[in-house]
Amino acid sequence: MMAFACQINATIFVKTGATGNGSDWDNAFGTLTEALAQAQAGDQIWVAAGTYTPTNDTNRNTSFKVKDGVKIYGGFAGTETSLVQRASKLNKTILSGEIGKPGIADNTYNVLLIENATVNTVVDGFIITAGNAS
């Protein structure tokens, strides 16, 4: 007899300033990096408006790393219960490589990194800015 594992796909929530476990908007992760570390193929990450950097230090080699099959969506106000409720043009969600001093060439080399992705990987509703792959 074979046993099959059943994976339940999760929705993981992210909101700037939050300190939770990502289980809902009231308990959202405060960083996208935390959510990406937890996410598995088939999961969705919903990200509320704000500016997110891939690190809290000045390591220029750090990027947001998206795993194959993970879908990340920006543009939420932080109260939605359905993906169709988001308004990404109103709720600007920015992935920024600005990790050092503004105006200095000390930003991350690559803001977003997606390797070997299939059509099941989605990045939608974000403004990606301030990378510096000198």
Side-chain angles (χ1 to χ4, degrees):
M1 174 181 245
M2 294 183 83
F4 293 95
C6 180
Q7 177 181 347
I8 298 173
N9 297 332
T11 300
I12 302 167
F13 299 84
V14 180
K15 187 188 288 188
T16 57
T19 59
N21 61 8
S23 60
D24 56 36
W25 286 123
D26 290 333
N27 297 293
F29 281 126
T31 71
L32 178 55
T33 303
E34 291 173 291
L36 288 168
Q38 179 177 308
Q40 300 299 316
D43 290 347
Q44 292 185 11
I45 301 174
W46 292 8
V47 187
T51 300
Y52 300 86
T53 57
T55 183
N56 290 327
D57 59 33
T58 56
N59 181 355
R60 296 185 69 199
N61 292 306
T62 305
S63 303
F64 291 111
K65 293 181 177 126
V66 181
K67 298 172 191 165
D68 181 32
V70 173
K71 297 171 175 63
I72 64 171
Y73 298 97
F76 291 92
T79 58
E80 296 85 352
T81 57
S82 171
L83 186 59
V84 298
Q85 293 174 315
R86 75 185 172 128
S88 57
K89 290 184 180 182
L90 295 175
N91 301 307
K92 304 283 187 215
T93 309
I94 301 164
L95 305 182
S96 175
E98 183 63 75
I99 59 169
K101 294 180 181 177
I104 306 275
D106 58 356
N107 299 8
T108 58
Y109 294 115
N110 299 290
V111 178
L112 184 69
L113 182 62
I114 306 170
E115 295 180 308
N116 304 315
T118 63
V119 297
N120 298 318
T121 307
V122 174
V123 176
D124 183 90
F126 294 95
I127 297 166
I128 301 172
T129 186
N132 187 7
S134 51

